[in-house]
Amino acid sequence: MAINCTWSVNDMTHVDSDGGVILVYWSCVAKSNGTPSYSATEAGKLRCDYDASSSDFIPYADLTESTVLGWVWNSLREGDETATEAKERIEANRTSKVQGQIDRASTQENGLPWS
């Protein structure tokens, strides 16, 4: 049974006057493709500081989900991790949670002995 991870930006808060993003709500959902399906989610909120006069500033209207997810992955780094390694660590953790659900389900059953 394959387990796939999907990253999403679920919502953002920005300043109307200059298009600066101040909050990003994100999630990573690991989900099995079998029946029944199992899932594990990690989600969070990233507080952003920005400088609208900076040469690398991207206003809200020009952002893409992949750019914002790059900000999220960068914010999740621990120690000397790269943003890619942080992303992979979260995915491995969520995938492990789903695999644990699958493993438990294969060794457990519901029911009553007198039915």
Side-chain angles (χ1 to χ4, degrees), residues 76-96:
L76 296 171
R77 291 179 306 137
E78 293 181 352
D80 294 333
E81 277 184 330
T82 66
T84 299
E85 290 168 337
K87 172 185 179 274
E88 290 169 352
R89 175 177 42 82
I90 300 293
E91 289 176 352
N93 180 276
R94 295 297 95 193
T95 298
S96 174

Side-chain angles (χ1 to χ4, degrees), residues 44-115:
K45 174 173 60 176
L46 169 62
R47 295 184 187 280
C48 303
D49 293 320
Y50 69 92
D51 177 359
S53 65
S54 172
S55 62
D56 63 352
F57 173 76
I58 305 171
Y60 173 79
D62 297 335
L63 288 169
T64 63
E65 186 172 34
S66 63
T67 296
V68 177
L69 285 173
W71 299 349
V72 169
W73 299 328
N74 192 53
S75 76
L76 296 171
R77 291 179 306 137
E78 293 181 352
D80 294 333
E81 277 184 330
T82 66
T84 299
E85 290 168 337
K87 172 185 179 274
E88 290 169 352
R89 175 177 42 82
I90 300 293
E91 289 176 352
N93 180 276
R94 295 297 95 193
T95 298
S96 174
K97 297 287 185 187
V98 172
Q99 188 61 55
Q101 293 172 30
I102 293 167
D103 294 346
R104 280 188 301 282
S106 69
T107 62
Q108 299 172 351
E109 292 185 34
N110 291 337
L112 302 170
W114 55 86
S115 307

Side-chain angles (χ1 to χ4, degrees), residues 3-83:
I3 301 170
N4 298 305
C5 291
T6 303
W7 288 84
S8 301
V9 174
N10 306 92
D11 200 7
M12 295 192 301
T13 303
H14 69 280
V15 177
D16 286 335
S17 61
D18 59 15
V21 173
I22 56 175
L23 289 172
V24 175
Y25 299 88
W26 60 270
S27 64
C28 173
V29 178
K31 187 174 182 182
S32 65
N33 66 350
T35 302
S37 181
Y38 300 94
S39 66
T41 301
E42 181 151 339
K45 174 173 60 176
L46 169 62
R47 295 184 187 280
C48 303
D49 293 320
Y50 69 92
D51 177 359
S53 65
S54 172
S55 62
D56 63 352
F57 173 76
I58 305 171
Y60 173 79
D62 297 335
L63 288 169
T64 63
E65 186 172 34
S66 63
T67 296
V68 177
L69 285 173
W71 299 349
V72 169
W73 299 328
N74 192 53
S75 76
L76 296 171
R77 291 179 306 137
E78 293 181 352
D80 294 333
E81 277 184 330
T82 66

